[in-house]
Amino acid sequence: MAIRRGRGVAAINYPTGMNLGGDPTQALVHSTPTGNFMVTLSSVDLGQGMKQIMAQICAETIGVPTDRVVVDTADTDTGPHCMGTFASRGTHRAGNAVIQAAKEARQVMLEVAAEELEVNASDLETDGQGNILVKGAPQKSISIFDVALSAHFKRGRSISGRGMFLIPRSYPEKETGAMKPSTCYAHACTVAEVEVDDETGEVTVLTVKNIFEIGRALNPKMVEQQLVGGSWMGISHALYETTEPYYPNRDHGGTDFNQYLMPGPGDLAQTEIIVLERPSADGPYGAKGPGEMCANPQIPAVANAVFDAVGVRIDTLPITPERILRALKAHAAN
């Protein structure tokens, strides 16, 4: 009997969004009388940071500081249509819709500023700090605050825009069934190192090294946090989480979340995250969707590491000590 060490590798790709009726999302953007901007969505922030990312995208497109943008996720009765927050689609679909709406609002803003400065709108640019400047003559400028006041109380203009991102639906070819379920894919590779006690079946994950290709990290720190948390979730899926009991009798199953088995802080492995940026051609500023993918490659990587350690393949999750011991017993009997 011994503690055996193994290493496992797994690589995946993951589609951003889905191919279902075009997978549409709409967005509305409008200016307040004081030059702040409101983004209205029906996409829901589940804690992954969608509001922050949509504010960044809107601010970058219009040319204002991020703190001048407020994101209202409203609800499905009062907000523009959205298919939902799932399928790792939030940043990609809603972000593209926000860009369209923000571009339209920006154009109206520049037109009003052009009237105030008595120049052509095409001769204007923003400085990212809340001002609109004449190209080549920055001393001739006007604040977005003043432009918004003029639009509302002098020019009778609504600085607003509408956006909708819609991917043409891909239908299967009758002869082959081939289709294009997504326009962009994120990718990941995980290397896991484990120790397996071949007497008790207990698995200890020592290290998990993850590489994620996510298009472009619009907020690097938030991306890192999501990928680290996802890596821990993947380990939990691989070794702990199940709604079924560990023994044949369902009476041994948990009855509530207090009895639902998950790893604690002492069970988490040393985790390394590397982000590769390969911008997507149709992503908002190159972004893809890393949301669900970040918890996927750890599962097969851990399973492969267990196989490398003790020579038995566990193909049912979670990979519990009982299943490892049964597999070892069956392997020894053959």
Side-chain angles (χ1 to χ4, degrees), residues 87-168:
S88 303
R89 66 186 296 281
T91 294
H92 189 273
R93 302 305 198 255
N96 276 312
V98 167
I99 287 176
Q100 290 183 17
K103 283 182 176 179
E104 189 172 295
R106 173 185 168 88
Q107 182 59 34
V108 177
M109 179 184 73
L110 294 180
E111 289 172 0
V112 173
E115 293 176 355
E116 292 295 312
L117 295 172
E118 298 181 341
V119 297
N120 293 323
S122 60
D123 294 328
L124 298 176
E125 62 184 2
T126 54
D127 66 355
Q129 301 300 318
N131 301 295
I132 299 174
L133 319 174
V134 176
K135 297 175 183 176
Q139 70 278 7
K140 191 172 185 180
S141 65
I142 185 172
S143 70
I144 292 175
F145 176 90
D146 288 332
V147 171
L149 288 175
S150 175
H152 281 82
F153 300 109
K154 180 180 177 181
R155 304 291 179 178
R157 300 289 301 275
S158 174
I159 299 179
S160 59
R162 302 160 296 173
M164 180 171 180
F165 187 68
L166 179 68
I167 294 175

Side-chain angles (χ1 to χ4, degrees), residues 276-296:
L276 300 180
E277 293 187 294
R278 188 173 64 179
S280 168
D282 69 347
Y285 298 105
K288 300 178 183 179
E292 293 158 303
M293 174 194 69
C294 58
N296 285 0

Side-chain angles (χ1 to χ4, degrees), residues 108-307:
V108 177
M109 179 184 73
L110 294 180
E111 289 172 0
V112 173
E115 293 176 355
E116 292 295 312
L117 295 172
E118 298 181 341
V119 297
N120 293 323
S122 60
D123 294 328
L124 298 176
E125 62 184 2
T126 54
D127 66 355
Q129 301 300 318
N131 301 295
I132 299 174
L133 319 174
V134 176
K135 297 175 183 176
Q139 70 278 7
K140 191 172 185 180
S141 65
I142 185 172
S143 70
I144 292 175
F145 176 90
D146 288 332
V147 171
L149 288 175
S150 175
H152 281 82
F153 300 109
K154 180 180 177 181
R155 304 291 179 178
R157 300 289 301 275
S158 174
I159 299 179
S160 59
R162 302 160 296 173
M164 180 171 180
F165 187 68
L166 179 68
I167 294 175
R169 186 173 181 180
S170 175
Y171 291 91
E173 297 177 1
K174 293 182 179 179
E175 296 79 10
T176 65
M179 61 179 295
K180 188 176 183 180
S182 182
T183 60
C184 68
Y185 294 81
H187 306 84
C189 181
T190 292
V191 179
E193 290 186 290
V194 306
E195 286 183 344
V196 182
D197 187 327
D198 63 7
E199 182 176 8
T200 66
E202 183 179 1
V203 178
T204 301
V205 182
L206 303 175
T207 65
V208 177
K209 297 178 173 64
N210 305 280
I211 298 177
F212 296 96
E213 186 279 300
I214 60 168
R216 188 178 181 189
L218 301 185
N219 187 309
K221 182 54 67 175
M222 289 176 61
V223 167
E224 179 187 0
Q225 292 169 346
Q226 183 158 355
L227 296 180
V228 170
S231 182
W232 293 346
M233 184 182 293
I235 294 172
S236 187
H237 287 325
L239 298 177
Y240 296 88
E241 295 188 54
T242 179
T243 57
E244 296 295 323
Y246 289 111
Y247 301 95
N249 191 335
R250 286 190 63 88
D251 293 341
H252 293 279
T255 58
D256 57 32
F257 281 111
N258 289 323
Q259 300 175 358
Y260 184 77
L261 188 61
M262 292 189 295
D267 301 311
L268 296 173
Q270 178 182 342
T271 303
E272 182 178 350
I273 301 292
I274 297 174
V275 175
L276 300 180
E277 293 187 294
R278 188 173 64 179
S280 168
D282 69 347
Y285 298 105
K288 300 178 183 179
E292 293 158 303
M293 174 194 69
C294 58
N296 285 0
Q298 300 79 18
I299 300 171
V302 169
N304 289 337
V306 170
F307 175 76

